[in-house]
Amino acid sequence: MAHHNDFGKKAEDLAVEYLQKNGYTILERNFRFQKAEIDIIAEKDHLIIITEVKARSTDAFILPQEAVTKTKIRSIVLAANHYLEEFNKDKEVRFDIISVLPDEKGTLIIEHIIDAFEAFDAN
């Protein structure tokens, strides 16, 4: 597996651990629909939380959350709609981003951006 894949997997594992420590129940990881993938689907406070994890080894060029484009949002929303229908979830949905970046010492820092975008942002 390539280094960036290892780093991405580690970032997703850290994001899951972070969410669980903060009272989220993990429902799915890497949920796929067509070409779209949702990194983490969780539940908390009667909400379904769709979470995109973005990791970078540096923020020199772009912050991780800036990599979530309108096209990416569209695919996440499409997959989220499919998930809700397939599993008959009739709950409000929130879209979050968790960014993972190393600090100057190499320690991975998690930033949880709650309600990072809405379904209509995909238009």
Side-chain angles (χ1 to χ4, degrees):
M1 189 181 287
H3 173 70
H4 70 276
N5 291 339
D6 289 341
F7 185 64
K9 170 88 169 81
K10 183 175 184 177
E12 279 188 25
D13 290 344
L14 284 171
V16 165
E17 187 178 303
Y18 167 87
L19 290 170
Q20 288 173 326
K21 283 182 181 175
N22 285 282
Y24 293 76
T25 300
I26 306 303
L27 302 175
E28 297 276 344
R29 287 185 71 173
N30 306 115
F31 177 81
R32 293 181 184 279
F33 175 68
Q34 296 176 352
K35 293 181 181 180
E37 180 181 6
I38 298 172
D39 294 327
I40 303 168
I41 301 174
E43 189 171 0
K44 183 178 182 186
D45 299 329
H46 306 291
L47 291 172
I48 300 293
I49 315 298
I50 307 297
T51 306
E52 176 68 9
V53 179
K54 284 295 178 190
R56 295 286 184 268
S57 57
T58 177
D59 64 354
F61 301 106
I62 185 172
L63 290 172
Q65 61 269 27
E66 292 172 342
V68 182
T69 63
K70 284 188 183 273
T71 301
K72 181 67 174 175
I73 291 170
R74 260 187 238 111
S75 72
I76 292 169
V77 169
L78 179 70
N81 286 336
H82 179 75
Y83 174 83
L84 295 170
E85 288 176 17
E86 182 176 330
F87 294 98
N88 200 25
K89 299 283 186 182
D90 189 23
K91 296 185 177 187
E92 192 174 330
V93 176
R94 188 178 81 204
F95 296 93
D96 292 1
I97 297 172
I98 291 183
S99 83
V100 180
L101 272 172
D103 66 10
E104 57 280 347
K105 296 177 185 173
T107 303
L108 294 178
I109 304 299
I110 292 175
E111 180 183 2
H112 185 186
I113 304 163
I114 295 172
D115 215 6
F117 59 88
E118 297 192 17
F120 60 79
D121 288 345
N123 297 324

